[in-house]
Amino acid sequence: MRFSQLFFSTFKEVPKDAEVLSHQLMLRAGMIRKVAAGIYSMMPLGLRVLRKFEAIVREEMNRSGAQEVLMPSMIPSELWKRSSRWDHYGRELLRIKDRHGKEFCYGPTHEEVITELANHYIKSYKQLPINAYQIQTKFRDEIRPRFGLMRGREFLMKDAYSFHASWESLDQTYRDMAATYRRIFQRAGLKFKAVKADSGAIGGDHSSEFMVTADTGEDAIMECLSCDYAANLEAAESHHKGQEMGDIETKTWVYMADQKPISVILKSEDTINEIKLRKALNAQVLYLSETTPETGLDAIVDLRLSGLGYEKLADLRNVKSGDICPHCHQGRLQEIRGIEVGHIFQLGDKYSHSMTATYVDEAGQDKPFLMGCYGIGIGRSIAASIEQNNDKNGIIWPVALAPYLVDIIATSTADETLNTCAESLYGELLGENIEVILDDRDESAGLKFKDADLIGIPFHVIVGKKFLSEGLIEFKSRQSGAVTMLKPEAVLGHIQTLLRAAKD
RNA sequence: CGGGGUGUAGCGCAGCCUGGUAGCGCACCUGUUUUGGGAACAGGUGGUCGUAGGUUCAAAUCCUGCCACCCCGACCA
């Protein structure tokens, strides 16, 4: 590609509404363009990055034995009514009527569609397990979209669904997916952490989130400084040493749990974790009541107040930095921030049961499928990569995601010697199928350097005054800033060596 | 949905209070000189001032409704 022909332009100034760095840089680099709140067009540079990540996801999913399908983005309401999510999903679900008045939703996730597919095609336990995935545009009518691709309403997601005849088989695929996710994020050059997540009504230790660590992350993660325990704050626990006696200050709130008021008592320095509370009370609808605490109400009390003599005890608090690890009982917990880029989850028979999707087992009996689901936010992942890889000059793409690997810059377009050399290097790299872009614009050298840095192309090949004086090409790494002087005929080999190294 | 805020050229903003020729920087176009970190000079293009209505001789400016967008909270890959 030639810069002079590329459909893009870079910007010095950034629209005021771009808050986070990844959003600002993608706008400035001409990678994305907002069309409406939380809805973006991908420009060629941005799309190339997206496709790079997608390809990694596809390769690793295929390697794991999963099979790609493509489900529709528009889903008829009947399917969603069968799982009863049509009524329960809330207003994030975009509902649409066609010309006949028939109701559809724009799929935010595809459990219903895939469950119907499984039910249609899979008759016998002999056909199990199956893991099917798609990479597809989803829509969630988020209350407040923000942060560019990080939290859009329309977004590209890889979602996989597995079907099993036994929990053992589900466990196996769950572990395979965890390993696959590790490979995917490793290959993409992301620093990440797999953390225990809230597993909702299903329960058990069967929900993990893959978090890209970044200070700007929206999620709080508690990690142990001594062992490998890590959990989303929502799900994090801590080890506590039995009763605490003496003067303990407490705080009481009144919650309405399925219409019934209940007192919730914690140590005054602690904060309530409503997810834990909801689970402890097994409540559908839970909210903080306006009423003041009064005596005579049922009470539920945090574990750490076990010395006060209440009957109903549960872990109700958010753990804090400095708490003791629930896993090794040794280390202290520390809070870090993360961006959730993936989530793997054992669903069990939640959907197969409500939608009566069954297979015939060895005994000839109809059984609901056991299911797992596994998501990766594609756009969010590349935004997360930028959050992790940038400097004051712009994006620093890892080789695995970069839109182009090499940017060839001739510092003066007026000089035919430089142009000829740049063109010949360009042709040589193209001939070897190296993703190269030639900055042939009639612009100042400074602007080309700035753009190369902003866009984050890993390797810059500069044909300039050193070439005129000594016949040497400057080869610069975006990441380290290191410059190597090379003879023109050595450039290709040097790049090939670096690319090979980047693959390992 | 609650609270706060913004809509003026592609982007960043001024003008509004106190009504009277729509402006600045960047970007873009033309020409000349340039070319190692977002070049200089000269000339130019581009705006129904979010939208509908009202007040007025006259509205970007005052009033009312609506819309869009952004920030803070509860939802999520």
Side-chain angles (χ1 to χ4, degrees):
Chain A
M1 175 55 67
R2 292 165 184 271
F3 264 109
S4 62
Q5 289 161 15
L6 184 63
F7 186 14
F8 97 122
S9 88
T10 55
F11 302 92
K12 263 191 253 190
E13 280 172 310
V14 96
K16 195 108 197 353
D17 51 358
E19 280 255 302
V20 296
L21 214 52
S22 58
H23 189 195
Q24 294 174 356
L25 289 173
M26 275 191 271
L27 288 169
R28 286 190 51 209
M31 292 173 44
I32 60 172
R33 164 86 170 151
K34 183 166 81 176
V35 176
I39 299 175
Y40 292 85
S41 294
M42 298 297 300
M43 295 303 288
L45 282 177
L47 186 60
R48 286 182 73 95
V49 176
L50 202 72
R51 293 285 186 243
K52 288 278 178 82
F53 185 63
E54 233 179 79
I56 293 172
V57 170
R58 215 170 243 125
E59 278 175 34
E60 294 299 338
M61 288 303 292
N62 291 345
R63 183 213 295 264
S64 80
Q67 301 170 64
E68 186 168 7
V69 295
L70 185 57
M71 292 179 266
S73 52
M74 296 285 287
I75 306 171
S77 61
E78 296 92 72
L79 272 178
W80 276 62
K81 283 174 180 161
R82 275 165 61 189
S83 70
S84 82
R85 283 210 294 182
W86 186 259
D87 296 321
H88 291 124
Y89 201 85
R91 290 197 293 166
E92 281 74 38
L93 187 64
L94 178 65
R95 295 153 212 256
I96 303 164
K97 276 189 188 155
D98 73 7
R99 68 200 299 167
H100 306 295
K102 186 174 156 64
E103 289 180 301
F104 289 82
C105 63
Y106 197 124
T109 170
H110 282 71
E111 281 84 359
E112 284 81 0
V113 181
I114 194 80
T115 302
E116 193 282 328
L117 287 177
N119 192 42
H120 181 75
Y121 286 105
I122 301 174
K123 309 295 183 195
S124 157
Y125 72 95
K126 294 177 191 167
Q127 294 168 277
L128 293 172
I130 287 281
N131 190 6
Y133 74 97
Q134 63 174 347
I135 294 176
Q136 209 236 26
T137 301
K138 313 254 184 210
F139 195 94
R140 284 185 201 168
D141 203 352
E142 292 279 344
I143 295 168
R144 186 146 90 84
R146 55 185 135 174
F147 304 151
L149 293 194
M150 203 91 100
R151 182 196 287 245
R153 292 194 292 173
E154 187 179 288
F155 57 98
L156 197 62
M157 179 169 150
K158 186 284 297 179
D159 50 326
Y161 306 89
S162 67
F163 295 85
H164 310 269
S166 72
W167 283 99
E168 291 70 31
S169 168
L170 173 54
D171 279 338
Q172 181 59 49
T173 297
Y174 181 86
R175 283 194 300 273
D176 287 350
M177 284 295 103
T180 296
Y181 275 33
R182 284 175 195 285
R183 270 200 300 273
I184 288 170
F185 295 122
Q186 249 155 34
R187 278 186 60 187
L190 289 161
K191 292 183 275 295
F192 68 98
K193 210 164 183 63
V195 310
K196 186 173 179 295
D198 168 50
S199 46
I202 311 291
D205 186 21
H206 298 300
S207 173
S208 294
E209 289 167 343
F210 286 77
M211 298 284 200
V212 167
T213 51
D215 293 338
T216 50
E218 288 192 88
D219 289 283
I221 305 163
M222 302 306 300
E223 65 170 3
C224 177
L225 295 171
S226 302
C227 71
D228 60 0
Y229 177 81
N232 191 312
L233 178 63
E234 292 174 351
E237 298 169 345
S238 67
H239 178 64
H240 76 106
K241 301 169 278 203
Q243 296 190 359
E244 294 190 34
M245 305 300 283
D247 296 330
I248 302 172
E249 280 189 42
T250 64
K251 250 189 316 197
T252 305
W253 291 265
V254 177
Y255 270 83
M256 296 299 293
D258 295 335
Q259 314 289 354
K260 270 185 57 188
I262 184 163
S263 292
V264 180
I265 306 173
L266 268 75
K267 283 175 73 175
S268 58
E269 76 226 38
D270 287 338
T271 55
I272 290 187
N273 180 320
E274 292 192 356
I275 287 164
K276 290 179 179 176
L277 179 61
R278 179 189 303 269
K279 211 182 286 180
L281 295 172
N282 198 17
Q284 290 293 315
V285 181
L286 181 77
Y287 58 92
L288 188 58
S289 165
E290 301 289 314
T291 60
T292 49
E294 49 186 305
T295 50
L297 285 182
D298 282 348
I300 185 163
V301 178
D302 185 66
L303 275 180
R304 298 200 165 197
L305 295 172
S306 55
L308 296 184
Y310 286 92
E311 277 184 25
K312 216 167 177 177
L313 291 169
D315 178 19
L316 300 176
R317 65 190 277 278
N318 283 314
V319 305
K320 292 186 291 205
S321 288
D323 283 358
I324 296 173
C325 173
H327 183 69
C328 66
H329 296 193
Q330 302 283 329
R332 299 282 174 173
L333 296 178
Q334 146 183 281
E335 182 180 329
I336 55 173
R337 309 293 299 180
I339 299 161
E340 183 182 355
V341 291
H343 197 163
I344 60 176
F345 197 96
Q346 293 194 357
L347 289 169
D349 66 358
K350 182 175 172 186
Y351 292 91
S352 50
H353 181 78
S354 60
M355 297 180 70
T356 56
T358 59
Y359 63 96
V360 175
D361 73 5
E362 284 178 272
Q365 300 292 306
D366 276 354
K367 285 278 177 60
F369 296 107
L370 292 174
M371 293 172 58
C373 69
Y374 320 92
I376 290 180
I378 305 284
R380 177 180 283 190
S381 292
I382 67 171
S385 175
I386 296 174
E387 292 290 332
Q388 275 188 344
N389 304 296
N390 66 79
D391 64 15
K392 66 180 196 309
N393 293 316
I395 303 168
I396 306 175
W397 288 117
V399 166
L401 297 182
Y404 291 95
L405 298 173
V406 182
D407 184 0
I408 300 178
I409 297 171
T411 58
S412 169
T413 46
D415 193 313
E416 270 314 308
T417 319
L418 299 183
N419 282 338
T420 308
C421 175
E423 286 284 350
S424 104
L425 284 169
Y426 177 60
E428 189 183 5
L429 295 185
L430 274 185
E432 292 297 317
N433 280 325
I434 290 169
E435 292 170 290
V436 58
I437 185 160
L438 173 69
D439 201 338
D440 57 341
R441 294 175 295 178
D442 187 16
E443 296 285 355
S444 73
L447 182 137
K448 295 181 185 180
F449 294 146
K450 287 285 184 193
D451 275 355
D453 285 349
L454 175 61
I455 295 164
I457 297 171
F459 306 120
H460 306 170
V461 169
I462 302 158
V463 187
K465 60 191 179 194
K466 284 271 167 48
F467 180 70
L468 290 176
S469 61
E470 302 165 44
L472 293 175
I473 305 293
E474 289 166 72
F475 182 89
K476 184 174 170 188
S477 155
R478 173 71 179 90
Q479 168 126 275
S480 68
V483 176
T484 314
M485 304 304 303
L486 298 169
K487 288 187 178 150
E489 58 270 26
V491 170
L492 173 63
H494 189 69
I495 290 169
Q496 285 172 327
T497 306
L498 285 170
L499 293 182
R500 236 176 278 124
K503 265 199 177 141
D504 304 332

